[in-house]
C-alpha cells in the first residue's frame, strides 16, 4: 500500500527534516494506522473522495512522531513548561514522550470514525 502522504507533501506543510528515511517509514506507519482504523469501522481505505483528508491526517500523525525523532528543543506536544533564570532551570512535560502513533479526536472525526452509539427503545413507551 502506498502511503497516504508523500515526503514532498509532508515537507510542503512542515518543512525539511533531518532524517528522510525515518520520514518515509513514519509515513508508511501512519498509513497503516489510518487504514486499520478505517477497515475496523467498515470504511473504504482507498476512496478517491477522501484522499485529501487521509493525506492531511497522515501528515499530522507523522508530524507528532517526527518531532519526537528530530529532538527539537521544545517539541510539539509540550503540555507544560517552566523556565527560570537562576540557577538555570528549564522544565517541560511532553504529551507524547515515546513518539507513539495515534489519531486525535479531530482526526477521527475528519476520517468519519465517530464513536458508535448504543441505546435502547421501549416499544410500549415508559410506564
Amino acid at each position: 500500500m502506498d502511503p497516504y502522504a508523500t515526503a514532498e507533501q509532508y515537507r510542503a506543510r512542515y518543512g525539511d527534516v533531518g532524517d528522510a528515511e525515518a520520514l518515509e517509514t513514519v509515513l508508511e506507519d501512519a498509513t497503516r494506522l489510518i487504514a486499520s482504523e478505517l477497515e475496523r469501522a467498515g470504511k473504504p481505505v482507498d476512496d478517491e473522495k477522501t484522499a485529501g483528508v487521509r493525506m492531511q491526517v497522515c501528515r499530522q500523525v507523522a508530524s507528532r512522531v517526527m518531532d519526537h525523532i528530530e529532538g527539537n528543543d521544545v517539541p510539539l506536544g509540550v503540555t507544560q513548561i517552566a523556565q527560570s533564570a537562576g540557577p538555570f532551570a528549564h522544565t517541560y512535560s511532553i504529551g507524547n514522550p515515546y513518539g507513539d502513533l495515534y489519531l486525535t479526536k479531530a482526526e477521527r472525526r475528519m476520517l468519519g470514525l465517530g464513536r458508535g452509539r448504543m441505546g435502547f427503545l421501549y416499544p410500549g413507551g415508559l410506564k
Side-chain angles (χ1 to χ4, degrees), residues 19-34:
D19 191 346
E21 188 174 325
L23 175 60
E24 294 287 342
T25 302
V26 169
L27 288 170
E28 290 170 3
D29 292 346
T31 297
R32 281 191 293 276
L33 170 70
I34 295 165

Side-chain angles (χ1 to χ4, degrees), residues 17-119:
V17 296
D19 191 346
E21 188 174 325
L23 175 60
E24 294 287 342
T25 302
V26 169
L27 288 170
E28 290 170 3
D29 292 346
T31 297
R32 281 191 293 276
L33 170 70
I34 295 165
S36 70
E37 290 292 323
L38 289 169
E39 285 175 355
R40 192 170 64 86
K43 301 210 178 256
V45 297
D46 287 330
D47 185 20
E48 285 299 316
K49 293 186 286 186
T50 60
V53 171
R54 289 191 320 269
M55 182 267 297
Q56 181 180 348
V57 171
C58 185
R59 288 189 312 192
Q60 289 172 194
V61 170
S63 172
R64 289 190 290 270
V65 177
M66 288 306 296
D67 190 64
H68 177 76
I69 291 171
E70 297 277 303
N72 296 330
D73 288 339
V74 180
L76 186 69
V78 167
T79 59
Q80 184 179 34
I81 188 166
Q83 293 179 324
S84 180
F88 311 108
H90 182 121
T91 307
Y92 55 86
S93 299
I94 302 173
N96 185 17
Y98 302 109
D100 295 331
L101 293 167
Y102 63 91
L103 295 173
T104 65
K105 288 179 186 177
E107 292 164 349
R108 294 181 65 77
R109 276 194 308 270
M110 288 174 64
L111 293 167
L113 299 174
R115 292 187 178 183
R117 298 183 188 258
M118 187 173 91

